[in-house]
Amino acid sequence: MTIRVQQAAFAPGAELDAFTARVEGAGAVVSFTGVVRDSDTGGLARMEIEHYPGMTEKAIGAIADEAAARWGLKGWLVIH
């Protein structure tokens, strides 16, 4: 059960493969990959997100813990 908040790029497929290999007995693996879209004007130059290390991971962890308890998850990985 892992949470990573990072700036560095990563390969979603490689992360999913590694996660799938670690989670024994799971009936399914579900993933979500989101992207930032520009508006129709094409004016997006950058996106900045501020967060407080520790607090962010704690908040994401609480959501993940609730999901694990509710649906009996064998494991989870969050990369944000």
Side-chain angles (χ1 to χ4, degrees), residues 15-33:
E15 294 286 352
L16 189 56
D17 287 346
F19 176 77
T20 302
R22 289 192 306 270
V23 182
E24 296 181 20
V29 174
V30 179
S31 69
F32 169 79
T33 303

Side-chain angles (χ1 to χ4, degrees), residues 2-67:
T2 303
I3 298 170
R4 293 193 331 243
V5 178
Q6 64 185 53
Q7 291 182 356
F10 61 93
E15 294 286 352
L16 189 56
D17 287 346
F19 176 77
T20 302
R22 289 192 306 270
V23 182
E24 296 181 20
V29 174
V30 179
S31 69
F32 169 79
T33 303
V35 296
V36 176
R37 293 183 287 163
D38 198 350
S39 65
D40 293 335
T41 64
L44 181 67
R46 70 180 175 268
M47 185 175 109
E48 294 182 26
I49 298 175
E50 288 188 27
H51 73 95
Y52 298 97
M55 183 183 291
T56 300
E57 290 86 344
K58 184 177 178 180
I60 293 171
I63 295 166
D65 286 341
E66 182 179 340

